[in-house]
Amino acid sequence: MDRGYNVSVPLEPAAYDLIAESDTGLQRVQVKTTGTTESNGRYRVVLRRTVYDASARDTARGRIRVTGYTEDEIDFFVSSTAGAVDYLIPVQAVSGAQYIVLDSKYAPFAIEARNRMPG
């Protein structure tokens, strides 16, 4: 929105949290926040989700399975950290991982976190 793009939120449940209109078209974005750090101080971002699966074994939580996101479902992750830097990461850069650690590999995707609420 800081760049003048329109942002929309899906009315029905979807794999993405929002759609952003960009110079290259509409992009499906999944937002992940984190305050969790590894022992080295780098942020850890969980990229998995639970989905209903009728073929899954029935458990106390129902017939669910844990899965990552695919290129067919989303285009980008926005990772908001407790620090002063957020990340805009293409889904291809995480290769289906269910979590990542924001180390130097993800530095090219860092964006300055402007207009952050204090606290």
Side-chain angles (χ1 to χ4, degrees):
M1 290 171 52
D2 286 346
R3 296 178 181 175
Y5 299 142
N6 292 320
V7 176
S8 301
V9 177
L11 295 176
E12 297 292 327
Y16 51 86
D17 289 326
L18 53 92
I19 300 236
E21 180 182 335
S22 74
D23 294 337
T24 59
L26 299 178
Q27 306 295 322
R28 300 162 298 176
V29 179
Q30 175 56 231
V31 178
K32 298 293 184 182
T33 60
T34 187
T36 304
T37 56
E38 299 283 299
S39 60
N40 60 9
R42 294 192 172 103
Y43 287 101
R44 177 186 175 125
V45 183
V46 177
L47 302 178
R48 64 179 179 245
R49 63 193 175 118
T50 56
V51 295
Y52 175 79
D53 183 349
S55 65
R57 186 174 57 89
D58 201 11
T59 67
R61 292 179 43 195
R63 294 177 182 260
I64 62 167
R65 65 183 168 85
V66 175
T67 186
Y69 293 85
T70 68
E71 293 178 41
D72 294 333
E73 298 168 313
I74 67 168
D75 301 302
F76 290 93
F77 287 101
V78 167
S79 178
S80 180
T81 68
V85 178
D86 292 339
Y87 295 79
L88 179 62
I89 305 170
V91 68
Q92 301 92 336
V94 300
S95 303
Q98 292 191 15
Y99 78 91
I100 59 172
V101 176
L102 296 173
D103 55 17
S104 60
K105 176 180 178 181
Y106 299 100
F109 307 115
I111 54 177
E112 187 178 330
R114 289 185 256 163
N115 302 323
R116 185 179 290 250
M117 297 291 291

